Amino acid sequence: MIVPRFGDPAEARGAFVTFEGGEGAGKSTQIARLAATLRARSGRGVCVTREPGGSPRAEEIRTALLDGVAKPYGPFAEALLFSAARIDHLDRLIRPALRRGETVLCDRFVDSTRAYQGAAGGLDPAVVAALERVVVGPTRPDLTLILDLAPEAGLARAAARGAGQGAGQGAGQGADRFEAESLDFHTRLREAFLAIARAEPERCAVIDAGRDPDSVEAAIRETVAARLPDLLPGEGSRGDAA
Ligand code: T5A
């Protein structure tokens, strides 16, 4: 099925915005803030979701993945499980919401597979691209906000949150399957996300996530206003704020 892109006058479709970046970069924090702004300002429905997960079946796969059940099988098998979760998530939640004209804000999507299983995990990029083609098809993000942060800082944030709140979502106590990877792995991740942004500048915007939450929120809001002005009418276009 061909889904017209956002703004296509022939058939309205909601906007699809994804948040990407390393561990603890602040995606969940900023998605909640942007959702509140959009609900107050845009007049469109806003659907907040995440990967892996977002639909009941995909949440079950999330639990297994973050508990490390698939790790012994290697990055290809993990990518297949992320893809299985994504198929259900797209069919059950993302595509129906877009068809209703809603704005979908998704915490991680295909760029995480490219970065985690591909660039950092060592899975052949051609395999990642082939999976993406068959799983996602035309349902591509209109805007991807890449929250960029030194991995040491992100892991420290995630650890501090874990210490304060107990288990991660879908994982046991302490670091989950991916948080527990080496610093070298997380450094490769950061480079991979920045490389994706360089390769697809029309879709991606890099946000400096090392600042305080209010400053990061302001930068995201400015970027959304510039890239998808229909979502924040009257906000003006002052260019990207990253
Ligand atoms: N994965 C996922 C793959 O390997 N392949 C895939 O295809 C997909 C889709 C998901 C894991 O799965 C992997 C990637 C991940 O490892 P997850 O628990 O959803 O697991 O992991 P994250 O997406 O990394 O979620 P986190 O919750 O760890 O990070 P967030 O959402 O980026 O950060 P957030 O907002 O929860 O903030 C973390 C802490 O920092 C504080 C917050 O209050 C919180 O305590 N904070 C800040 N502190 C200071 N300054 C700021 N600006 C702050 N912003 C937030």
Side-chain angles (χ1 to χ4, degrees), residues 19-31 33 50-53 62 65-66 78-79 82-83 86 107-117 147 149 153-154 156-162 165 168-171 176-179 185-186 189 193 208-217:
F19 284 65
E20 299 277 6
E23 305 293 321
K27 299 177 301 301
S28 313
T29 303
Q30 294 299 332
I31 282 187
R33 289 178 178 224
R50 68 175 180 180
E51 288 210 345
R62 174 190 176 90
L65 280 165
L66 297 197
E78 286 192 308
F82 279 110
S83 297
R86 185 163 296 141
D107 190 340
R108 298 193 181 280
F109 194 58
V110 288
D111 298 306
S112 284
T113 311
R114 292 188 197 178
Y116 279 76
Q117 283 67 53
L147 271 58
L149 181 66
R157 284 184 190 174
R161 183 209 41 214
Q165 297 179 358
Q169 298 152 310
D176 70 25
R177 148 82 185 93
F178 295 100
E179 287 168 3
F185 178 94
H186 290 286
L189 273 182
F193 282 119
D208 176 0
R211 296 169 286 178
D212 64 275
D214 289 349
S215 301
V216 178
E217 180 186 358

Side-chain angles (χ1 to χ4, degrees), residues 10-241:
E11 186 180 344
R13 195 206 87 161
F16 186 19
V17 179
T18 56
F19 284 65
E20 299 277 6
E23 305 293 321
K27 299 177 301 301
S28 313
T29 303
Q30 294 299 332
I31 282 187
R33 289 178 178 224
L34 181 61
T37 300
L38 295 180
R39 285 187 178 114
R41 295 282 309 280
S42 76
R44 297 167 188 264
V46 177
C47 170
V48 173
T49 188
R50 68 175 180 180
E51 288 210 345
S55 63
R57 277 193 282 265
E59 289 289 332
E60 289 176 11
I61 298 175
R62 174 190 176 90
T63 302
L65 280 165
L66 297 197
D67 281 346
V69 170
K71 183 179 179 183
Y73 298 91
F76 183 35
E78 286 192 308
L80 290 176
L81 275 178
F82 279 110
S83 297
R86 185 163 296 141
I87 287 167
D88 198 64
H89 187 206
L90 280 162
D91 284 348
R92 303 275 164 176
L93 192 100
I94 294 177
R95 289 187 181 120
L98 291 173
R99 279 197 292 269
R100 290 193 299 270
E102 294 180 12
T103 301
V104 175
L105 304 181
C106 189
D107 190 340
R108 298 193 181 280
F109 194 58
V110 288
D111 298 306
S112 284
T113 311
R114 292 188 197 178
Y116 279 76
Q117 283 67 53
L123 183 59
D124 183 344
V127 174
V128 176
L131 271 177
E132 199 174 306
R133 197 168 54 249
V134 295
V135 170
V136 174
T139 315
R140 306 277 163 173
D142 300 295
L143 172 64
T144 296
L145 297 157
I146 295 178
L147 271 58
D148 180 54
L149 181 66
E152 295 91 337
L155 290 168
R157 284 184 190 174
R161 183 209 41 214
Q165 297 179 358
Q169 298 152 310
Q173 292 287 335
D176 70 25
R177 148 82 185 93
F178 295 100
E179 287 168 3
E181 284 284 354
S182 66
L183 185 59
D184 182 54
F185 178 94
H186 290 286
T187 302
R188 290 202 299 279
L189 273 182
R190 183 187 197 187
E191 288 164 359
F193 282 119
L194 293 175
I196 290 168
R198 282 194 300 274
E200 296 185 55
E202 290 187 359
R203 171 173 69 89
C204 301
V206 177
I207 304 291
D208 176 0
R211 296 169 286 178
D212 64 275
D214 289 349
S215 301
V216 178
E217 180 186 358
I220 287 173
R221 195 163 156 162
E222 205 169 314
T223 300
V224 171
R227 299 283 188 107
L228 299 173
D230 287 0
L231 294 189
L232 285 172
E235 191 100 341
S237 176
R238 288 166 289 173
D240 288 355

